[in-house]
Amino acid sequence: MAAAQSERDRDAPSALCSEFLSFSAKDTAARWLAAADLQQEIYRHLAAYVPRILCVGPSGCSSREEQREEQREELACQLLLLAPLEWLLLGAEPAAGLAALQENNSPSPLCGHVFKVGEPTYSCRECAADPTCVLCMQCFLGSVHKEHRYRMTTSGGGGFCDCGDAEAWKKGPYCHKHTPTSSSRDSEEDPVALLPADMVSRSSSIFSVLLRYAVAMLTWDQEDQLPAGLEPPDRGDSYYCMLFNDEVHTYEQVIYTLQKAVNCSQKEAVSFATTVDRDGRKSVRYGDFQFCDQAKSVIVRNTSRQSKPLRVHVMHSSVVAHQCFALKALSWLGQIIQYSDGLRRILCQVGLQKEEGEYSSLVDKLMLNDSKMWKGARNIYHQLLMNSLLMDLKYKKIFAIQFAKNYRRLQTDFMEDDHERVVSVTSLSVQLFTVPTMARMLMVEEDLMTTIIRTFVDHLRHRDLQGRFQFDRYTAQQAFKFGRVQSLIGDLKYVLISRPSEWSDQLRLKFLEGLDAFLELLKCMQGMDPVVRQVGQHIEMEPEWEAAFTMQMKLTHIISMIQEWCSSDERVLIEAYRKCLSALSVCHSGLPDGEQPISLSLAGHCVETFRYQVSQDKVSIHLPVCRLLAGLHVLLSRTDVANRYPEQLPLGELSPPLLIELPLRCLVLCAQVHAGMWRRNGFSLINQIYYYHNVKCRVEMFDKDIIMLQAGASMMDPNHFLMIVLSRFELFHIFSSADCRKRYSEANKDVIQQNNTLIEEMLHLVIMVVGERYVSGVGQVEAFDEVRREIIHQLSIRPMAHSELVKALPENGNKETGLERVIDTVASFKKPGVTGRGLYELRPEWSKHFNLYFHHYSRADQSKVLTQIHLQIHTLQPSRPVQGTHTNTCTNTHYSRADQSKAEEAQRKLRRQNGEDTALPPPPPPPLCPLFASLVNLLQCDVLLAVEGAVLQWAVEPSGGGWTESMLQRVLHLVGVALLEEQQQLENSSGEDDVTFNYTCKITRPGEAPSTSGSVLALLESLQNAPHLEVHKDMITWILKLVANIKTMRERTPSTSSVTVCQGQRPEETVRDKDKAERKRKAEMARLRREKIMAQMSEMQKHFINENKELFQQSMEELEASTSAAADSSPPSADSGGVSQVCVGPRRVGRAERRQLVTCILCQEEQEVRGHGRAMVLAAFVQRSTVLSKNRRKNLPDPEHHDPVFMHPDLSLGIYTASCGHIMHATCWQRYFEAVQLKEQRRQQRLRGHTSYDVENGEFLCPLCECLSNTVIPLLPHTHTPHQSVDHPCLEAWLKTTIQQVAALHWAHRKQSDGEAEGAEPAVPEGFRVDFTPHNPFSSSVSEMITTFSMSTYKVGLKLNPNETDPRVPVLSWSTCAFTIQSIERLLMDEEKPLFGSLPCRQDDCLSSLARFSSACWTAAPPTTTHTHFIRLLAALVPDSQVENTPCILDIDMFHLLVYSVMSYGSVHSLDQSGRRAVDSAHLHLLHLVTVAHLVQILLTSTTEEVCMDQDGGESEEEELTCQLYNTLRKHLGSVLPEVTSSWQLLSCVKAGILPFLRAAALFFHYLNSAAPPADLLVSGPGQWEALLSFLSLPSNLLQLHHSQHTLLDPLIHRWCGHPGVRQTLGGGGVPVQFPRESNRLIELPEDYSVLINQASSFTCPRSGGDKSRAPTLCLVCGCMLCSQSYCCQTELDGEDVGACTAHTSTCGAGLGLFLRVRESQVLFVAGKTKGCFYPPPYLDDYGETDQGLKRGNPLHLCAERYRKIQRLWRQHGVAEVIGHAQEANQTLVAIDWQHL
Ligand SMILES: [Zn+2]
Ligand SMILES: [Zn+2]
Ligand SMILES: [Zn+2]
Ligand SMILES: [Zn+2]
Ligand SMILES: [Zn+2]
Ligand SMILES: [Zn+2]
Ligand SMILES: [Zn+2]
């Protein structure tokens, strides 16, 4: 097989080595210079060397080997291949030559920085020509745009910085760095002229040879042969099996196949797959042909089953080698031209020159072969194109022309290609087309617009019989293509994005040609996806609808842009209008054909139309041609073209009834769907209707349909218009005959309901047609007014965040909504707190512009608005924002339905409450433009009056069901609009003759047939007092007043000037009325305010419980806390009789003997806590913690061999216990837990998946508060106050006794293990019985719970299965007690809270039960075990020759030592039967000993650098004693300790260092002995030190502790210092922990988020050699950047593959991690392998919102307050709980594969 090869491999490098030495690049260059045919010479050289240098032998065995191999190749390439080229090019030594070149270069001002994936890019929203114009971070920071409104995004890779491109920026095109200086070259000047002539010719030929070589090799498609001149001198049988990338097969498939095909490990397969994915190809096997071919066939066979097989080639090694060098050559060219703009231009020339005798240039060849190349090759040549052609303004143009010429071919190739677009040469379009001059040039010279559109249309071949697009029969392949072809729309958008300021005739011509092509496209869309109403049966299959809407959505901006282009030139507009109209007539041809003509008559008017029913015939939502015409029609009005050139417009050809026909059908369809007539057509239709109105589509759909109806109506007799509308709504018969309605009222209920809804919808449509005037061109308004009106109506629903508003407004092609310009004029901003977001609130003065029938309201919105407005009107103050409401504008129809009914209910309720004050009159409408002026006649036409009369008549006699209040409301609104119109016209006119609009006159006329009952006015008057119309009374009153007003105005009009005045002068009557109304209104206001407060309170409660469960629990606990604290804790002892309060030692006072009663949360029974009683337990959660760690690099302990007896002072791993404070009977809890287990088992059988808690690991949720728990702590009774009768031996005596006891125990242990002990039994203190078995003070149920909790700490602490016989069990229980106290002491310190009295009840309960439990847990362990522990612990203080492996005192955490020794002493003490010694004196002595040891420890480790701050006066006693002790230490250790002169400084070091220990000890003894804390420690402030010492029964001069006993202690100190560890550590053998230990914080984050993005973008995956990481993730604990969510960085943890975050978490946070996902701007919490959640990041934009997913791109800044909140959560060990709650609240979080992040 490959044996022969490997031999050759081995000597190949050495053979090369010798050639290195003899090879001279300079000489070779000289030879080439002299050669006649340079190409031949260079080719010969490459043919000889390339196959010997590159790609010799297998690769990919191990990454290190591969790296070394790469370095070797790199070096050889440089020396043997590139160096001679450089010599030849520069004519000098390369380094010097290049430096000279650069010096003489005057660079172009373009930055041209090419973006890496994930790098931040900045665009200025004020100055950028379009959103694709971006700056790199460096340029941005040096630009003026830093101070503007900018947008920040992360690059998807490719593309470059536009700094220096004057066309890309409206202002400020240059940053500081790229500002052209006087010395910089004029852009017109030829940079080649600056180069020496010989260099020009040399470089030209070198570039030409090399580029030709590279192109030949990269486009080479033979696997076994090489181009002429490159054949290797000797050809071995060595091949590569090359695997290529595709986007069809998944990672898993490739990995699986490779393992089978080339017999590699999983790891290697992953590495292969990763490289294939990154570079596009990778050799997976090396050897002879047969060997490789075999692998190929296995791969092909394995992957061909479902799809086309993976692409594999067996390639000769020399071919691969030349291809590799070709890439290196291209990179080399790219580097060389960076030195000189002249060289760059020469390369451009060479690249774009037509090859001799050929049609195309080298660059053409590359482009046209793009889709055949592998990813790596494409990336490199694209990069070269960007560095060369796109950086040279002259050649950029020539290249653009070539690109446009090849456009169709390139796009077609791209369709066939299966790579993403970023690696296709077609993606360069953004660089070329977005330059406005370039786009225009290409449009004019290369027909670019037409080409793009035609190419697009050509790729969508499926059509129906009428030639319309048909998507429903698409295969997967076609759907895929459809996805790709959309990028063409993107290109079209680039071309059109900036409209021309000047038009040439050529441009007009080409644009109109392009428009022709575009109209062809629209014609294929007109009428696509038609629907027919389904009757009887429900449709069987939901028809396809998404493709058509995708297309509509993508084209929306294009359509808008085309209109903008048209609006900028009158001739273009006129011509476009003609073209569009004739396109529409083509669509209409055959429209009325075959339809039966009918004639309709109503109210004395007659119209001819044809029979067509939406409910029976085909109808389509897609009418882009009509809608474009509507858009252009408005432009005719806006630009005044219609007025100025009426003769040029084909207005005569318009047939208004035809114009309105299709849009009307579409609107009727919506109404019918709403009326429930299309229920059987399924969700497909509902979705279409939804998108039709949606903000993404409505601008070019719904809005334009309304405009088309307005246009049609303004050109028609209004009566005719309305009759056609009635007919299409299928309502004509109802209004045409009087008794028809009666007949219907007897028909079935469904039909009545349907008709009622249709009438409402029809009236709403009429309201919109006459009332919607906020489109510039329809009404006399500006774009500004349009946006403002949208915002007012959005904010009338409720206060909204910036992002919500942005979502509710349509974006233009530049992704702008115009919001910012308007928002501050109508709304005020409310800042967010620590949670929630900033909100905009409508200023009350704007609410009068509110229109209930605003056309962009969804039905749900309408009723919400009603509620809101009523509140505002009646309280006259803006309603408070409700934080965190989830009522986003509906995202789907189902949601909006539910929402709607809710809102409607609220509305009805409100109306009932408000009784009268419900008038919501229409706001005054803006005047219409002349072209639309006749629209107003609709309001006073006979047909509408007949309709109004009919509805009012029904309302007068409301029998039967054929009538609704909504109908009446709409009619009243229409009447109101008409009256306002009349009033306005009167106000603005100069004489009555001008005002042709006379609605008041018409409504006083009695009605004509069929409603002969009376005039509209009369009907209104009779309705005014109708009892059943209480709700509308106010509105009717308003109308009648207005009528009276107008009548007055009309009477006075001869003296027109007084019109406005007369409005002000009100008759006496009205004033009185007004007063009355005012009083009533005030009373009403008060009532409403009361009700509102009530409602708010209940709302708040609901919120509290639902949304803020966590908080709710806390507050519940606080309630409990206050009660339990009041009942439980004895008041802080005022010094009773001058005896100060003490918590340890024989003088301490325990809790007054009282029964401790608790209630079980499960059975609600009360129970006394007793050692012998039924056990009571506290739900608790035990977790490992590194929060206090001072050494994160330390490896986790090996669970089997870890010795926990001594805690290292670095506290690298602790066990933390927390509790929610809820108490249960042990038996109740057990029953509950068994039930949870059972439920979980059943659930697992049903469906696989996770819960938020892991039952198998003992986890459960507290039954009361659902807090995550994993064990329970038993409650134990308080200790008694010691009897005053017992002795209190002095330290010396106690020590002596204890040493005796220890000796006896030693002896006993030896005897036990060896059978017999040597030597005599040592003397034993009186009453001490080694063989005594103390009686267990606890009942079996309490003992059982003690074991349960011990096992939990053991299991969590060591990650081992429970093992009751392990001697380490009690140590771990003590450990969690000590560590939890230590953590809480730190927390209190950091938050500057007093030591006692500030803890929440749950922590208080937890610590107290923990302390008492720990002191009792020895009872559950074998006595010898705890005795041994005590002996070992004591030996650390009082060295004992019989104990080995005692650590030195620098390696012991003294607080842990104190807790452990106090706890373990209990078991030794239990052997003392004398009854004369109290355990308390031992505690006090142990405290003294440990404190002295800690003092020594602090003195040894405090590096008191000499800061000479000699204070005045003599030393205090304390200082003196400190110095004494220090000098004692120096005596023992000598020069290892520095000399200290400032005793004052030394003392303050000692005090600061020991404070945390003393505080922790105080907490410990307080909880252990239930001692009440002294008053001084209940507050923070001065006096803490003294109070602490006294509470701990320590001398007020702490150093006395040593001094008073120094004869006893000095020998001990001597032996501590004598430990070899001390000398070693201090001598530099380690970094000792210093005291006080500083509290850990989360890492510092930068203020500006883009700094983070930038950091992350330069972060490379640590595993896959310099590759960019896709999900860079920052550990907030240690600052480590990780490559998350990626195969490359998966590692094995406990036999499972886990992602980088989980792996890091296991070491950095002992299973718990806090991360920031930089690309997503999201905080990630993970716990273990299966749990995690996302948390809002501490970065906010200026609108007080986070941007999770970085979608909006507003600049983000650090919110210190929110970051502190996260830090506190971490320090409090609350992260696991947050995860638990998040997962409980959101089940989808449970399903996320956290371990792979
Ligand atoms: Zn730049
Ligand atoms: Zn710049
Ligand atoms: Zn700017
Ligand atoms: Zn119970
Ligand atoms: Zn609880
Ligand atoms: Zn970390
Ligand atoms: Zn990685």
Side-chain angles (χ1 to χ4, degrees), residues 225-277:
Q225 300 294 320
L226 280 164
L230 288 173
E231 295 91 349
D234 57 336
R235 223 186 106 93
D237 183 11
S238 61
Y239 285 84
Y240 283 104
C241 178
M242 192 68 81
L243 175 65
F244 288 82
N245 172 50
D246 65 23
E247 307 285 320
V248 182
H249 293 89
T250 63
Y251 247 81
E252 283 80 5
Q253 282 173 321
V254 175
I255 291 167
Y256 173 77
T257 308
L258 281 177
Q259 277 172 282
K260 264 187 151 176
V262 300
N263 228 341
C264 62
S265 70
Q266 154 103 14
K267 217 172 153 192
E268 283 168 310
V270 169
S271 149
F272 284 143
T274 313
T275 315
V276 169
D277 183 52

Side-chain angles (χ1 to χ4, degrees), residues 968-1155:
L968 178 64
Q969 205 180 11
R970 284 163 170 76
V971 165
L972 294 177
H973 190 90
L974 273 171
V975 172
V977 173
L979 290 170
L980 284 173
E981 188 70 45
E982 187 171 348
Q983 190 187 25
Q984 271 187 356
Q985 288 203 11
L986 281 171
E987 281 171 11
N988 298 333
S989 70
S990 45
E992 204 189 346
D993 306 342
D994 292 357
V995 185
T996 52
F997 192 83
N998 197 340
Y999 187 66
T1000 40
C1001 163
K1002 296 238 170 138
I1003 54 171
T1004 31
R1005 263 197 337 239
E1008 287 161 42
S1011 59
T1012 44
S1013 41
S1015 72
V1016 168
L1017 191 60
L1019 284 167
L1020 282 171
E1021 274 160 354
S1022 63
L1023 278 175
Q1024 190 180 15
N1025 296 313
H1028 63 286
L1029 294 176
E1030 200 59 23
V1031 188
H1032 303 287
K1033 200 175 164 186
D1034 288 343
M1035 181 70 183
I1036 298 173
T1037 313
W1038 179 83
I1039 287 175
L1040 293 175
K1041 257 188 213 160
L1042 194 56
V1043 171
N1045 225 1
I1046 291 173
K1047 279 191 176 151
T1048 333
M1049 279 167 83
R1050 281 209 181 264
E1051 281 158 19
R1052 295 190 183 197
T1053 27
S1055 54
T1056 43
S1057 54
S1058 64
V1059 168
T1060 36
V1061 185
C1062 98
Q1063 242 196 330
Q1065 294 169 346
R1066 292 189 182 236
E1068 198 69 5
E1069 226 181 326
T1070 36
V1071 174
R1072 230 182 299 131
D1073 269 355
K1074 206 181 148 202
D1075 272 351
K1076 223 157 109 195
E1078 181 66 11
R1079 245 176 290 135
K1080 207 164 150 193
R1081 198 181 56 79
K1082 276 188 180 154
E1084 188 67 21
M1085 251 168 62
R1087 189 175 59 82
L1088 271 168
R1089 207 175 295 133
R1090 273 199 309 277
E1091 268 161 9
K1092 202 180 135 200
I1093 290 168
M1094 294 301 288
Q1096 263 177 4
M1097 276 177 63
S1098 90
E1099 178 68 16
M1100 264 161 64
Q1101 264 169 17
K1102 251 187 278 159
H1103 256 304
F1104 216 17
I1105 299 169
N1106 292 337
E1107 311 237 326
N1108 246 332
K1109 259 189 172 166
E1110 210 181 326
L1111 255 177
F1112 176 60
Q1113 287 144 20
Q1114 272 176 10
S1115 72
M1116 282 293 284
E1117 281 145 22
E1118 262 149 32
L1119 268 178
E1120 285 162 34
S1122 55
T1123 50
S1124 77
D1128 230 30
S1129 62
S1130 40
S1133 63
D1135 288 358
S1136 44
V1139 183
S1140 58
Q1141 196 69 34
V1142 154
C1143 65
V1144 56
R1147 285 191 298 122
R1148 75 176 173 86
V1149 181
R1151 177 161 307 214
E1153 208 52 46
R1154 273 210 303 110
R1155 278 152 45 93

Side-chain angles (χ1 to χ4, degrees), residues 63-298:
S63 60
R64 180 172 304 168
E65 234 168 90
E66 201 168 320
Q67 263 176 15
R68 217 179 304 133
E69 176 70 19
E70 257 171 43
Q71 282 168 2
R72 196 189 59 78
E73 284 183 1
E74 201 63 46
L75 189 68
C77 269
Q78 182 58 41
L79 289 174
L80 299 174
L81 305 174
L82 299 174
L85 290 169
E86 285 169 10
W87 270 99
L88 179 61
L89 177 73
L90 301 161
E93 199 278 316
L98 287 173
L101 208 54
Q102 191 165 29
E103 198 163 310
N104 294 327
N105 186 38
S106 51
S108 82
L110 283 175
C111 167
H113 171 84
V114 178
F115 292 115
K116 294 173 286 207
V117 178
E119 202 176 330
T121 64
Y122 299 83
S123 181
C124 182
R125 295 175 64 188
E126 290 163 25
C127 316
D130 66 76
T132 67
C133 300
V134 287
L135 292 176
C136 66
M137 189 173 183
Q138 217 183 9
C139 289
F140 172 74
L141 292 177
S143 74
V144 292
H145 312 292
K146 198 172 54 175
E147 312 297 331
H148 300 173
R149 265 181 336 111
Y150 64 90
R151 198 194 297 273
M152 176 193 73
T153 35
T154 51
S155 167
F160 58 75
C161 175
D162 289 306
C163 182
D165 180 353
E167 264 197 87
W169 308 97
K170 287 176 213 153
K171 64 177 190 212
Y174 308 106
C175 71
H176 287 321
K177 191 176 147 204
H178 295 110
T179 305
T181 52
S182 51
S183 68
S184 60
R185 159 176 65 83
D186 182 5
S187 60
E188 298 302 308
E189 199 183 334
D190 187 356
V192 179
L194 297 171
L195 294 175
D198 59 331
M199 187 187 269
V200 172
S201 76
R202 275 201 316 270
S203 56
S204 174
S205 45
I206 294 171
F207 288 171
S208 161
V209 170
L210 220 51
L211 197 57
R212 200 172 308 136
Y213 164 78
V215 172
M217 280 323 303
L218 296 184
T219 57
W220 192 248
D221 54 3
Q222 299 190 52
E223 295 163 15
D224 211 9
Q225 300 294 320
L226 280 164
L230 288 173
E231 295 91 349
D234 57 336
R235 223 186 106 93
D237 183 11
S238 61
Y239 285 84
Y240 283 104
C241 178
M242 192 68 81
L243 175 65
F244 288 82
N245 172 50
D246 65 23
E247 307 285 320
V248 182
H249 293 89
T250 63
Y251 247 81
E252 283 80 5
Q253 282 173 321
V254 175
I255 291 167
Y256 173 77
T257 308
L258 281 177
Q259 277 172 282
K260 264 187 151 176
V262 300
N263 228 341
C264 62
S265 70
Q266 154 103 14
K267 217 172 153 192
E268 283 168 310
V270 169
S271 149
F272 284 143
T274 313
T275 315
V276 169
D277 183 52
R278 180 187 62 202
D279 290 346
R281 71 177 203 181
K282 167 82 186 163
S283 85
V284 295
R285 185 173 260 194
Y286 175 74
D288 59 27
F289 181 80
Q290 209 195 342
F291 184 59
C292 291
D293 199 48
Q294 197 187 346
K296 173 182 170 172
S297 49
V298 176

Side-chain angles (χ1 to χ4, degrees), residues 684-735:
S684 156
L685 182 62
I686 291 175
N687 283 324
Q688 294 190 54
I689 303 275
Y690 169 73
Y691 276 104
Y692 171 71
H693 292 283
N694 182 269
V695 64
K696 286 200 180 113
C697 300
R698 71 178 181 218
V699 176
E700 297 301 338
M701 294 188 97
F702 171 69
D703 289 4
K704 289 293 189 299
D705 284 348
I706 297 290
I707 289 177
M708 193 49 121
L709 291 192
Q710 290 177 319
S714 64
M715 290 185 269
M716 285 166 82
D717 177 335
N719 294 300
H720 294 172
F721 174 79
L722 280 174
M723 286 199 292
I724 293 175
V725 169
L726 283 175
S727 156
R728 292 295 171 260
F729 267 91
E730 296 166 38
L731 292 171
F732 191 79
H733 56 284
I734 293 185
F735 291 96

